[in-house]
Amino acid sequence: MVKRNKRRPRLRVTGGGRGVVNHVGARLLADVADETGLEAGLSAAMAPTRQRRGGRDRGEVLTDLAVMIADGGVRISDLAVLRDQPELFGSVAPHATAWRALDAVDDAALERIKTARAQARGRVWAAAEAAGRWARPDRLVIDMDGTLVISQSDKEQAAATYKKTYGFFPIVSYLDVTGEGLAVLLRAGNAGSGTAADHITVLDASLAQLPVEPAEVEVVVRTDSAGCSHGLLDACRDRAVRFIVGHPLSVDIASALVSVPARRWQAAITADGSDWRDEGEVAEITDAVNLAGWPEGTRMIARRENPHPGAQLSFTDADGHRFQVCVTDLDDTDIAYLEALYRGRGRAERRICDHKDTGLAKMPSASFAINQAWCQLTLIAHDLLTWNNLLVLDDDLARAEPKQIRYRLMHTAGTIAHTGRRTRLRVAEHWPWADQLITAFDRLHHLPLRI
């Protein structure tokens, strides 16, 4: 017989631990909501819905729900993680009160919530600039895209989707430079992917979230071919917003592409512009296609590449190449840059994955109105994580996905100690990211956020 040495230390498990708390990093997000004025804004937004003076502040309830979602909660009952730790999170509403708060978010309250979000965003940007942590770029790119949200049960307006699943088909938008969530429009699962009116609604909601006007800073809307409609591009022109969107590849365009002289194709560059791409070439084909009816100054940019081995070719993959085209009204002369700018749309797919990991993947209610309110909370949760990165985190933590942030910071353990009139939180001593978490709390409380 081989005597095994136990890999884990032998434990004797007892109760009686005092002052022990978990999810310490989630308190950092609650403090972000407080310091940025977001919680106060939500309280003002929800004040008209209160039916009695002694009732709980519904803005505080929504803030706690958003913190819970950012911390990884996927259902209303997960609010217990905060409520069961009053020494860390204070008084948190019971489930029934949380449901009533969500049910009270009507259309008017929803607009007030959006206004509170925009005001808090302005304070975050100003504080990040004042602290030297961020420089506002000369060009802001808004990514818009649709995504499917699967429903496992029958919910109001859930329907069969174009991928033969069942659920919803919201349109979401993000700011590329920071990753902030700007807007979400919850739609039935059978909604059209290229509905111009829905894209315009999301466009207007996104612009309302920006602390700047398109007349001050160039704003560019970027979408896939679902956004390639006269309605959306005309709306961009009316709002002084530029666009760069994918265009469907028709037979006529494919025929024009194979007629482009070889000398007009030039090497493509990587999405970050740091290097040339050997496998791709780009060219402007505005003069070879009919763009009549599109906004004045619209251009068409094409990219061609050799399909990877084993790729299934389609009828538009002419001359042995795979083609992609986009249209834009940007007047940059660097064609490779414009094509790389469009290809940067792939980052929106990563934002959607993060957003689904922050509450968007599941709608909690059979009520469409409550699910709309939930979608706004997922945007707030997404923003709390993004603002946390922008304001107080550095290096790989500032670029980490929500799951990594939760493991490294949000779900950290600690102890609460009361000394005199001060409550002290001691983070677990040997946790690898303890110093970063302590630094983040210190930075947040010294930022010029309050007005």
Side-chain angles (χ1 to χ4, degrees), residues 38-213:
L38 176 62
E39 183 172 83
L42 293 178
S43 295
M46 295 300 293
T49 69
R50 294 179 66 175
Q51 297 179 341
R52 56 189 180 90
R53 182 174 299 178
R56 189 178 287 268
D57 186 324
R58 285 175 171 168
E60 294 179 356
V61 176
L62 295 186
T63 300
D64 288 339
L65 283 169
V67 171
M68 176 269 292
I69 294 171
D71 190 49
V74 295
R75 56 183 66 85
I76 305 299
S77 60
D78 290 335
L79 195 59
V81 174
L82 277 62
R83 187 174 58 252
D84 292 343
Q85 301 188 90
E87 287 188 309
L88 185 61
F89 296 103
S91 176
V92 177
H95 301 158
T97 303
W99 277 107
R100 285 194 294 270
L102 284 172
D103 191 41
V105 181
D106 54 17
D107 290 342
L110 203 59
E111 292 305 313
R112 294 193 296 269
I113 289 172
K114 293 176 183 178
T115 300
R117 290 180 53 229
Q119 292 171 346
R121 193 182 317 281
R123 288 189 282 272
V124 169
W125 284 24
E129 287 183 296
R133 295 186 57 84
W134 183 59
R136 191 177 306 183
D138 296 329
R139 173 177 287 170
L140 298 175
V141 178
I142 298 174
D143 284 307
M144 296 198 306
D145 204 353
T147 185
L148 297 179
V149 174
I150 305 301
S151 176
Q152 303 296 338
S153 61
D154 193 19
K155 292 178 168 64
E156 185 180 358
Q157 294 198 33
T161 71
Y162 71 95
K163 287 196 173 181
K164 304 188 185 304
T165 55
Y166 184 79
F168 302 94
F169 190 13
I171 297 178
V172 290
S173 67
Y174 307 95
L175 188 65
D176 183 46
V177 66
T178 61
E180 293 167 280
L182 298 179
V184 57
L185 177 63
L186 187 62
R187 307 187 302 164
N190 57 0
S193 59
T195 306
D198 291 344
H199 281 84
I200 294 172
T201 298
V202 174
L203 170 63
D204 288 336
S206 302
L207 293 176
Q209 286 297 312
L210 298 181
V212 296
E213 296 292 334

Side-chain angles (χ1 to χ4, degrees), residues 243-308:
F243 60 81
I244 183 164
V245 303
H247 191 286
L249 188 57
S250 65
V251 175
D252 291 341
I253 294 177
S255 299
L257 286 170
V258 297
S259 302
V260 175
R263 66 179 182 276
R264 292 181 57 177
W265 293 98
Q266 64 183 72
I269 59 176
T270 55
D272 61 2
S274 62
D275 201 2
W276 298 101
R277 290 174 61 95
D278 296 332
E279 68 275 16
E281 294 179 305
V282 298
E284 181 170 356
I285 59 169
T286 304
D287 59 343
V289 294
N290 181 13
L291 296 177
W294 295 103
E296 184 179 355
T298 298
R299 307 158 65 190
M300 181 171 285
I301 311 298
R303 178 174 184 266
R304 72 177 185 180
E305 61 183 4
N306 295 321
H308 62 270

Side-chain angles (χ1 to χ4, degrees), residues 362-385:
K362 294 182 180 179
M363 297 296 112
S365 175
S367 165
F368 188 79
I370 290 180
N371 289 335
Q372 280 184 313
W374 176 267
C375 286
Q376 283 300 311
L377 290 182
T378 68
L379 281 176
I380 295 173
H382 186 89
D383 278 347
L384 289 177
L385 290 169

Side-chain angles (χ1 to χ4, degrees), residues 249-251 254 313-318:
L249 188 57
S250 65
V251 175
L313 300 179
S314 66
F315 70 94
T316 55
D317 295 329

